[in-house]
Amino acid sequence: MVSDEILRTHLQELRRGTVVVASLIALRRPDYGYALLQRLSDHGFPVDANTLYPLLRRLEEQGLLTSEWNTEEKRPRKFYRTSGEGESVLGRLLADLAAVHTSLTGLIEGADR
């Protein structure tokens, strides 16, 4: 029987790339980090803050997200939004994800290529 640790490791690897896709989709509507954590979790993508915040910074550095500080409230918050370049990359990622799904479905159903 496979240990829980082995399964946990493989699930983590599987979800790592999907968190990027989920974040780019979710941030089509501007949001700040903590709210994004909650939103992703609510939709089945639980992410640790120590994973999400570096991811947001990396996506911003890559030009896939833009950010803006909101200082109107008591506590300033940095809001992120998917950029035009992020939308373009997201489209490619979603197309590839659909192709992977089709391939996996074919394997599961035993379809020959």
Side-chain angles (χ1 to χ4, degrees):
M1 178 148 171
V2 176
S3 74
D4 287 344
E5 184 59 34
I6 290 173
L7 180 58
R8 193 174 11 258
T9 298
H10 287 293
L11 287 172
Q12 182 180 23
E13 288 177 21
L14 181 62
R15 289 191 172 260
R16 188 169 286 135
T18 58
V19 169
V20 170
V21 173
S23 296
L24 289 172
I25 291 169
L27 290 172
R28 285 174 162 165
R29 184 182 82 208
D31 221 340
Y32 59 97
Y34 184 74
L36 179 61
L37 276 172
Q38 290 180 315
R39 206 155 128 214
L40 290 175
S41 182
D42 290 348
H43 284 88
F45 293 92
V47 184
D48 186 79
N50 293 327
T51 299
L52 184 66
Y53 288 108
L55 172 68
L56 292 174
R57 285 191 295 274
R58 188 177 85 237
L59 293 175
E60 184 178 19
E61 287 171 8
Q62 293 171 345
L64 305 182
L65 295 178
T66 59
S67 68
E68 180 176 308
W69 282 98
N70 178 348
T71 57
E72 295 173 6
E73 296 180 21
K74 185 175 169 180
R75 190 170 150 232
R77 292 181 176 165
K78 189 174 187 179
F79 280 75
Y80 295 91
R81 180 183 197 115
T82 303
S83 68
E85 187 69 23
E87 281 291 338
S88 176
V89 168
L90 176 59
R92 301 274 310 269
L93 292 173
L94 288 172
D96 194 63
L97 189 57
V100 167
H101 181 266
T102 298
S103 296
L104 288 173
T105 300
L107 283 170
I108 291 167
E109 294 173 355
D112 290 329
R113 287 197 127 194

